[in-house]
Amino acid sequence: MTAIDFSRAVAVVGTGTMGQGIAQVALVAGHPVRLHDAVPGRAEEAAAAIGARLDRLVEKGRMDGAARDAARARLLPVADIAELSDTALVVEAVLEQLTVKQELFAELEKIVTEDCLLATNTSSLSVTAVAGALRHPGRFVGLHFFNPAPLLPLVEVVSGHATEEEAATRAWATVAAWGKTPVRCADLPGFIVNRIARPFYAEAFAVHEEHGVDPATIDAILRECGGFRMGPFELTDLIGQDVNEAVTRSVWESFFHSPKFQPSLAQRRLVESRRLGRKSGHGWFSYAEDAEQPAPADAAPQDAPEYVVVEGDLGPAAELIGMIRDVGVTVRQEDEDDGTRLILPSGGQLVLADGQMSAEFRDVVYFDLALDYRSAGRIALAAAADVQEDTLAQATGLFQALGKRVSVIPDVPGMIVARTVAMLGDLALDAVARRVASAEDIDTAMRLGVNYPLGPVEWNERLGRDWAWELLANLHQSVPTGRYARTPGLHQWSYGSPSEDAS
């Protein structure tokens, strides 16, 4: 099935920020575009706003004047919904209320032709439910654009329970023809991005609530060690605490209060106090003009140990062995089948986060997972209260000698980056097993939709098929709430052959 021909008109109903963005995308791609809004005058205002944005594109050299003028000529605000009767696609971007959307599409179904695709841009409602009142729900799809739609490449193409394959394929091809990157997914709560991204926020909030690690330090660890573009505290302040918490709560309720999606009480208190982030001037952080932004916790300088003993190959942290040698620290290597640790001169051990706690062992300091240990600017260490001072000092000095800032956090099982990545991978593989989307589309969606440095399935492949399995097993034992219980999808993947296609 080919994309909708550029000669055919596309309609956008609802002319807020998202509606205007979607209309601009279709318009610049080459379609005639019709704008409709239930509020009188809003469609005309939206057309003027889109025209102004096209002017700015010309000023920046990203569009020529002739193309702008042609696009403006194709843009038509309409007051009567009946004027959408000959369109090939209608995209809805109205209020996120099920009854409002159902009533709109029931009215549209009476007007448009049989070959017209109907699409909702909902991010939180069931596509199947929105189409539930239609006589012909087979032509109904979800087209979930990300804000701002003209800039962000990802579009989730969502098939409801009754969506016909032909309609989904045509919608996918049309979005691709507009220059976007479409991914296919089934209609389960949160689709791909809003479902799989929950642990990025939830694990950080849990570490803050349960262990007292401050937001600035958690953000810095996830950015500088994990490779994420923004930390979850600063990102939710940008998104809006009310918006982010509402998505989390919606996914949690849709999955019948599964502990894997449990909302944060601390975030709820922010919403209740109207500390919504940048838009209100205060969220996790203050945005007052004279506010001093909190700095992450940095350990005081320590001397590097003269030598370390390496037991095993350190698994995902194997590159540290060469790095340690490069800075002049003697490395003594011992072949241990079950060893994945560094022994310090104090006799204490330095171990990669594995979901267990330092308090469970004698004189063990844990270090966090890094996306790339060579380029990481920061490393987190976790130690129980009874760890020897010399052991913690030598562990700190070792990473400082490697050019890293060091943040020492309490005895957090799974630490911060490691537990976040393991949970992201667990939910991603659960979505593959449930046929929400292919592994390839999930990785694409998470890289493009929320700017993750790697897709979660790709990350799991890099870490090894038993890494997340073992870390979550240990976490589940430490925190037996069900939150860290491994999904059947992770189970199937972990026991599969590395050559098997996860999609």
Side-chain angles (χ1 to χ4, degrees):
M1 174 60 69
T2 57
I4 293 170
D5 192 274
F6 286 115
S7 66
R8 298 288 305 276
V10 170
V12 177
V13 179
T15 57
T17 301
M18 183 57 78
Q20 289 180 31
I22 295 169
Q24 182 179 330
V25 170
L27 188 67
V28 171
H31 289 277
V33 173
R34 307 218 183 124
L35 294 172
H36 174 74
D37 198 291
V39 179
R42 286 274 179 86
E44 288 78 10
E45 292 172 4
I50 293 169
R53 283 197 289 274
L54 297 181
D55 288 340
R56 287 195 290 275
L57 291 176
V58 172
E59 291 168 6
K60 294 176 181 178
R62 292 162 57 189
M63 189 178 199
D64 64 47
R68 173 201 56 196
D69 294 343
R72 277 183 163 174
R74 295 194 301 271
L75 182 60
L76 179 66
V78 298
D80 189 343
I81 198 170
E83 294 182 68
L84 309 182
S85 61
D86 62 341
T87 54
L89 167 66
V90 181
V91 183
E92 162 273 314
V94 302
L95 198 63
E96 282 285 273
Q97 291 183 3
L98 181 60
T99 55
V100 172
K101 294 179 187 289
Q102 286 178 328
E103 289 169 4
L104 170 64
F105 282 110
E107 187 176 1
L108 284 167
E109 191 176 39
K110 299 173 185 175
I111 295 165
V112 298
T113 58
E114 289 184 3
D115 68 339
C116 177
L117 285 177
L118 299 176
T120 175
N121 183 59
T122 186
S123 61
S124 61
L125 299 175
S126 162
V127 171
T128 301
V130 176
L134 296 179
R135 297 190 310 275
H136 304 290
R139 60 170 164 179
F140 191 88
V141 298
L143 288 180
H144 181 213
F145 288 78
F146 288 74
N147 193 30
L151 297 180
L152 295 185
L154 183 69
V155 180
E156 293 175 324
V157 180
V158 187
S159 292
H161 186 69
T163 302
E164 295 171 357
E165 176 63 24
E166 182 180 336
T169 301
R170 192 177 192 199
W172 187 98
T174 298
V175 169
W178 293 356
K180 295 298 181 182
T181 303
V183 292
R184 294 281 297 269
C185 63
D187 182 27
L188 286 176
F191 309 143
I192 298 175
V193 173
N194 279 334
R195 172 185 181 162
I196 295 172
R198 292 354 290 162
F200 179 70
Y201 312 107
E203 294 311 308
F205 298 164
V207 170
H208 171 59
E209 290 182 68
E210 297 165 13
H211 301 278
V213 184
D214 66 283
T217 297
I218 295 173
D219 276 356
I221 291 167
L222 282 162
R223 283 196 315 268
E224 300 171 35
C225 184
F228 293 93
R229 185 169 297 184
M230 296 180 74
F233 294 91
E234 59 186 337
L235 180 55
T236 53
D237 268 358
L238 179 64
I239 294 169
Q241 299 302 331
D242 52 341
V243 174
N244 182 264
E245 201 255 0
V247 173
T248 297
R249 189 166 293 275
S250 172
V251 173
W252 177 61
E253 290 172 349
S254 297
F255 279 105
F256 308 105
H257 296 182
S258 165
K260 285 190 173 289
F261 301 102
Q262 183 175 330
S264 161
L265 181 58
Q267 188 180 38
R268 175 98 293 255
R269 293 292 179 257
L270 284 181
V271 174
E272 290 172 341
S273 63
R274 305 305 295 167
R275 290 191 165 189
L276 305 180
R278 289 182 178 272
K279 63 186 177 183
S280 70
H282 204 303
W284 295 108
F285 307 110
S286 172
Y287 299 93
E289 194 171 325
D290 57 348
E292 184 176 344
Q293 293 306 311
D298 285 351
Q302 302 290 342
D303 293 332
E306 292 183 5
Y307 69 89
V308 295
V309 179
V310 179
E311 292 187 352
D313 62 4
L314 297 190
E319 64 185 323
L320 284 174
I321 299 172
M323 294 169 60
I324 293 169
R325 285 196 179 100
D326 290 345
V327 297
V329 175
T330 300
V331 175
R332 302 173 188 168
Q333 197 135 14
E334 294 187 0
D335 240 352
E336 294 285 339
D337 289 341
D338 61 346
T340 54
R341 62 185 68 87
L342 295 167
I343 308 299
L344 299 165
S346 67
Q349 300 178 40
L350 188 54
V351 181
L352 176 63
D354 61 5
Q356 299 181 93
M357 298 180 71
S358 170
E360 299 176 47
F361 305 96
R362 180 184 174 278
D363 209 23
V364 167
V365 174
Y366 276 106
F367 65 96
D368 212 345
L369 178 71
L371 174 68
D372 180 339
Y373 283 99
R374 288 194 178 275
S375 63
R378 181 178 300 273
I379 292 292
L381 301 178
D386 62 354
V387 165
Q388 293 185 70
E389 288 185 13
D390 283 356
T391 296
L392 183 56
Q394 290 168 12
T396 300
L398 178 63
F399 280 106
Q400 288 173 339
L402 298 179
K404 316 301 181 188
R405 292 175 291 277
V406 175
S407 292
V408 179
I409 66 173
D411 191 9
V412 177
M415 302 198 68
I416 295 172
V417 179
R419 70 195 280 173
T420 299
V421 171
M423 286 292 283
L424 290 171
D426 182 53
L427 289 188
L429 290 163
D430 179 56
V432 173
R434 291 172 183 259
R435 294 178 171 79
V436 176
S438 69
E440 181 181 2
D441 275 357
I442 286 171
D443 280 351
T444 297
M446 301 311 290
R447 287 196 307 268
L448 298 183
V450 277
N451 290 310
Y452 285 2
L454 290 173
V457 179
E458 178 187 5
W459 215 332
N460 264 11
E461 288 277 11
R462 175 189 286 194
L463 293 168
R465 289 194 169 233
D466 58 351
W467 179 82
W469 173 260
E470 292 178 357
L471 186 141
L472 291 178
N474 291 332
L475 254 178
H476 181 56
Q477 187 170 6
S478 299
V479 189
T481 61
R483 183 189 190 99
Y484 303 107
R486 298 162 295 187
T487 64
L490 179 61
H491 186 282
Q492 294 166 16
W493 182 83
S494 296
Y495 281 94
S497 165
S499 63
E500 287 177 3
D501 182 5
S503 64

